[in-house]
Amino acid sequence: MPIDPKYLHLVHPGLVFTCCLYGRSSRDPKKRGRSVGDQLHDGRVLANTYGWTVVEEYKDTGVSATRYAHKSRDDFEEMLVLIQERRVRIVVAYEASRYYRDLEVYVRLRNTCAEAGVLLCYNGQIYDLTDANDRKLTAQDALQAEVEGDAIRERNLRTVRLNAAAGRPHGRTLDGYRRRYDPDTGDLVDQVEDAERGPVIRRLFDEAASHRSIRGIVIRCGDEGLLTQHGTPITRSYVLGVLRNPAYMGRRVYQGKEFGDATWPALVDADQFQAVQDYLDQGGRTWARGQGSEPRHLLSGIALCGLHPEAEEEPVMRPYINGKSWSYRCSERTHVSINEEMLHAAVEEAVVQRLETPEFMAAFQVEPDQAVAMAARNRLAGLERQLKEAQNMATDFDEHGVPQLSAASLAVLERRLVPLIKQAQADAAPPQSVPPALRRLVDAKDPAAEWEGMDLEQQRSAIRHLVTVRIHRAGSQGARRLSPERVTYAWVGQPGFRGVVPRARGRAE
């Protein structure tokens, strides 16, 4: 039977009792719930009341004790070592569930205490785990703690599903936002843009939409001393994680997929977000493949070999060292090569001149079909209304607590509706006359100066959207000048223009 602490000296006469304290909480200490500090304080009061010497204090904050836990309980493991070494006589915790919500963990602690002759204390009662009756009582408490843990997990999962259906935030706060809580209840009120972090995120999207390289963005952030919301340096993976996250355009993501509209404000609009995705998916992007380094040559993988006009996929030109200087040659080794410096000068001059011609703007003018656009807008309104009604049904419960529409049914419906909504949005949107990759060049008063101010990746992207460059054989071997017929241009809208073909994420070049 458990021992009341005030009778402990009678059960074990002549012993000096030393103890260690253990506290654990799976909640953020800033949120509701009995904190680890409060648990340890109660343990100190108990120890002082009965004259126990506190040898060590252990605490695991923000860590679950169930079998579903993702984090290890480092302090708990250290406490087991302390018990094995018999450095204390009593282990003290606020309640059984602080020690364990998993029967396997209970058995480990029970066996360790029994072998070392260490007493277990919780709920103000002391248990001798060498005693069969005490083992039975603690096992019952452990089973109850595990059942409670499973119930908590089910409630949490249900809350996550309902939050997703309603578009509410859950989990960690997105960089660029902050959350507001009710000061009395601690309940989440809403998620809003953070005045300091929001502009940082917006700028990342702005730069990516203008086709600045990821490396260039990371370098700029480092030069300006910008950090993440956690105070760590901004890295390549961080930037890509932000740019790929639909939550920044006001979409709720659940289990890695878009689940519907979110309740928080978007930091970027859908058009800009999609433009960034197209840029990241663009063929040849090393960050899409997750390997290698970014291009260092203006036309590597962009310029085509002119000896394969009938090929479905024309071979590209690749840079190589030719003596002491860089040159390009056909990836199929068809004996077509050209000096890099001369080629770059010719292509850059042609691009800048093209930007100043009426033909350039005419190539991007698209006459919208008003009837098609109107039908798309009507279809979009109907689809969005249907989705909103379904989301409301998923959060509307009857007197028995059963929703009008289950989260699983809502997920199936959204998987069908979201692609239709995206297509309707695209059909209803007015045609964009100039791609984002070329916008800053079009708006510039001095295109040549603007071109010089762009980084390499932006220049490469502009060329991809504007022109297909083909390299042909020289008329004579060893020519020191670049003859006009060696480089031909197929501008956007002209025959021979290959355009920009997005690639699936993760595919190799």
Side-chain angles (χ1 to χ4, degrees):
M1 295 296 292
I3 308 169
D4 190 293
K6 63 185 177 182
Y7 300 120
L8 183 61
H9 65 285
L10 298 177
V11 179
H12 299 279
L15 292 181
V16 176
F17 293 100
T18 56
C19 70
C20 67
L21 311 181
Y22 180 74
R24 183 197 62 80
S25 174
S26 58
R27 287 181 176 271
D28 187 313
K30 297 180 181 179
K31 298 181 181 179
R32 295 178 296 168
R34 190 166 186 80
S35 70
V36 171
D38 290 342
Q39 297 170 36
L40 295 178
H41 173 73
D42 288 350
R44 294 187 205 105
V45 171
L46 184 68
N48 291 335
T49 300
Y50 298 105
W52 305 340
T53 301
V54 178
V55 175
E56 290 286 352
E57 293 186 4
Y58 297 97
K59 56 184 178 180
D60 287 309
T61 303
V63 183
S64 170
T66 70
R67 61 180 180 275
Y68 309 107
H70 299 294
K71 297 181 181 178
S72 62
R73 290 198 283 161
D74 296 335
D75 272 29
F76 183 82
E77 296 299 327
E78 290 182 15
M79 184 181 71
L80 290 180
V81 174
L82 182 81
I83 296 171
Q84 289 173 338
E85 295 174 350
R86 295 179 169 84
R87 292 165 52 194
V88 293
R89 290 288 299 172
I90 309 173
V91 180
V92 181
Y94 176 68
E95 60 185 9
S97 63
R98 299 308 91 197
Y99 291 124
Y100 35 67
R101 288 192 182 277
D102 180 352
L103 285 176
E104 291 185 6
V105 177
Y106 159 73
V107 171
R108 286 184 62 204
L109 179 60
R110 183 197 68 185
N111 293 344
T112 303
C113 288
E115 291 171 4
V118 173
L119 304 174
L120 192 66
C121 178
Y122 60 86
N123 289 342
Q125 297 291 304
I126 298 174
Y127 298 87
D128 182 353
L129 296 176
T130 62
D131 182 90
N133 289 325
D134 283 8
R135 288 200 301 273
K136 178 180 179 181
L137 291 174
T138 55
Q140 291 173 341
D141 290 340
L143 178 60
Q144 181 62 33
E146 182 177 83
V147 171
E148 290 175 354
D150 289 342
I152 290 171
R153 181 174 184 269
E154 288 301 318
R155 289 197 297 271
N156 288 340
L157 291 176
R158 181 171 179 270
T159 299
V160 171
R161 290 192 294 267
L162 292 176
N163 280 339
R168 293 191 297 267
H170 189 86
R172 296 181 179 178
T173 305
L174 276 174
D175 198 354
Y177 293 94
R178 63 181 178 86
R179 291 180 182 173
R180 299 189 296 186
Y181 296 88
D182 186 294
D184 297 324
T185 66
D187 291 334
L188 176 65
V189 176
D190 57 14
Q191 179 170 279
V192 297
E193 179 180 348
D194 184 88
E196 294 184 2
R197 300 298 307 173
V200 174
I201 301 300
R202 292 178 188 273
R203 188 173 177 186
L204 295 181
F205 278 95
D206 289 341
E207 292 182 314
S210 69
H211 291 207
R212 184 170 190 174
S213 69
I214 303 301
R215 179 173 178 271
I217 293 174
V218 172
I219 291 175
R220 189 269 303 169
C221 291
D223 291 343
E224 296 181 6
L226 294 178
L227 302 172
T228 69
Q229 63 179 341
H230 302 298
T232 57
I234 289 179
T235 62
R236 181 190 192 91
S237 60
Y238 165 83
V239 173
L240 289 173
V242 168
L243 298 179
R244 288 294 195 189
N245 195 339
Y248 287 111
M249 65 168 176
R251 298 288 293 172
R252 181 63 161 85
V253 178
Y254 177 57
Q255 295 183 341
K257 299 179 181 179
E258 289 186 44
F259 202 70
D261 290 331
T263 57
W264 57 84
L267 296 187
V268 297
D269 60 37
D271 290 340
Q272 185 181 39
F273 184 84
Q274 188 56 51
V276 171
Q277 305 316 299
D278 292 343
Y279 172 53
L280 297 180
D281 288 341
Q282 192 169 293
R285 293 283 167 259
T286 55
W287 55 77
R289 303 196 304 270
Q291 59 187 10
S293 59
E294 293 179 352
R296 294 178 295 171
H297 303 267
L298 180 64
L299 297 171
S300 175
I302 295 178
L304 304 178
C305 177
L307 297 188
H308 313 268
E310 304 301 327
E312 183 176 348
E313 291 191 11
E314 299 176 68
V316 297
M317 303 294 289
R318 297 294 187 191
Y320 75 105
I321 289 290
N322 184 10
K324 296 183 178 180
S325 61
W326 284 97
S327 294
Y328 287 97
R329 64 185 173 192
C330 176
S331 58
E332 297 293 330
R333 306 294 180 91
T334 53
H335 305 293
V336 173
S337 64
I338 190 169
N339 178 267
E340 180 185 71
E341 184 177 357
M342 289 195 300
L343 177 61
H344 286 183
V347 171
E348 290 181 284
E349 181 181 4
V351 167
V352 172
Q353 289 179 352
R354 182 68 178 183
L355 295 174
E356 299 174 341
T357 64
E359 291 80 9
F360 165 68
M361 290 302 300
F364 294 103
Q365 296 302 322
V366 180
E367 289 296 329
D369 188 322
Q370 297 299 333
V372 172
M374 178 60 72
R377 285 192 290 270
N378 292 336
R379 186 169 69 257
L380 176 61
L383 290 169
E384 290 179 336
R385 184 168 56 252
Q386 184 180 1
L387 181 58
K388 190 64 177 178
E389 290 174 355
Q391 291 171 340
N392 290 337
M393 290 175 65
T395 56
D396 190 7
F397 299 86
D398 62 20
E399 65 274 12
H400 302 293
V402 178
Q404 295 187 34
L405 183 69
S406 69
S409 298
L410 177 61
V412 172
L413 183 61
E414 286 203 327
R415 282 196 294 270
R416 296 175 181 174
L417 289 180
V418 169
L420 297 176
I421 289 175
K422 288 185 176 181
Q423 185 59 54
Q425 288 172 337
D427 294 342
Q432 187 175 5
S433 58
V434 181
L438 300 174
R439 173 56 63 185
R440 63 183 290 185
L441 288 171
V442 173
D443 295 338
K445 294 181 179 179
D446 186 348
E450 189 65 30
W451 174 267
E452 290 297 326
M454 296 169 68
D455 66 25
L456 178 62
E457 194 58 52
Q458 289 174 312
Q459 291 177 341
R460 285 170 56 84
S461 186
I463 291 174
R464 288 175 183 270
H465 285 79
L466 182 61
V467 62
T468 296
V469 180
R470 290 180 173 85
I471 312 303
H472 305 271
R473 283 177 176 166
S476 59
Q477 190 173 7
R480 294 182 176 273
R481 292 186 179 182
L482 188 63
S483 57
E485 65 273 10
R486 287 219 62 195
V487 184
T488 58
Y489 306 93
W491 303 98
V492 58
Q494 294 181 349
F497 177 71
R498 299 299 292 253
V500 178
V501 181
R503 275 193 190 156
R505 298 175 198 172
R507 280 183 57 187
E509 184 179 350

